[in-house]
Amino acid sequence: MAEDSIRVYLSKDKKLRFKSTCVLKDRDMSEVINELIDQWLEQNDTLQQQEK
């Protein structure tokens, strides 16, 4: 699947905390963000909810 990018603005502190936590857990930041977006979409995607 083709990938695209988005830009997200965070405070320097939040970015540093996120990055360091990902490193400590040996996780890629993009993978974690993708998982979080997938979870959010499952809970909030009105198109999916209408199909059910």
Side-chain angles (χ1 to χ4, degrees):
M1 175 180 4
E3 293 186 351
D4 205 350
S5 64
I6 61 171
R7 182 174 294 201
V8 177
Y9 294 95
L10 305 170
S11 67
K12 288 184 180 186
D13 179 60
K14 190 178 292 185
K15 180 185 175 188
L16 180 61
R17 288 174 52 210
F18 179 59
K19 184 174 184 175
S20 60
T21 302
C22 286
V23 169
L24 287 172
K25 293 186 168 282
D26 195 29
R27 297 292 311 272
D28 182 79
M29 290 171 58
S30 290
E31 289 175 5
V32 173
I33 293 295
N34 270 295
E35 289 174 11
L36 294 170
I37 290 173
D38 287 343
Q39 290 173 12
W40 189 88
L41 286 172
E42 277 187 34
Q43 296 171 357
N44 296 283
D45 192 347
T46 56
L47 291 176
Q48 285 181 348
Q49 292 174 2
Q50 290 174 356
E51 292 175 359
K52 291 181 180 179

